Amino acid sequence: MTYGSGFSLIGVLYPVFFVVVAALAITLGVLLIRTLLWVIRALSAVTRERELRMDLLLADDGPAGPARPSASSTDDGPGGPTV
């Protein structure tokens, strides 16, 4: 029920409230999408790094561990030759 000129505070606040809620929803949606894109980019970078490490491990041309003893040593020790 309105009195006098027909001005109602609820009639003004109701649309303003919905505009604010819509703006917050749009802002949260944009932030969520940006965060998801950042996470996807970070995961793909980590996956690519692991793929490169695996490729380097499989294509290893040099010694994988510590340097082997010189070939002039003929003593195989008590356990025999290591394979």
Side-chain angles (χ1 to χ4, degrees):
M1 177 178 266
T2 58
Y3 298 103
S5 66
F7 177 75
S8 172
L9 187 61
I10 300 297
V12 173
L13 291 179
Y14 194 70
V16 170
F17 173 75
F18 277 110
V19 168
V20 169
V21 169
L24 285 175
I26 291 171
T27 303
L28 287 176
V30 168
L31 289 175
L32 178 65
I33 290 171
R34 287 181 59 136
T35 303
L36 286 174
L37 290 174
W38 179 81
V39 167
I40 290 169
R41 192 176 305 132
L43 284 175
S44 62
V46 169
T47 303
R48 181 67 181 142
E49 180 186 1
R50 287 185 181 179
E51 289 174 353
L52 289 174
R53 285 185 185 206
M54 188 64 72
D55 288 343
L56 288 174
L57 180 67
L58 292 174
D60 189 21
D61 293 332
R68 294 184 180 187
S70 64
S72 63
S73 174
T74 57
D75 182 24
D76 289 334
T82 55
V83 178

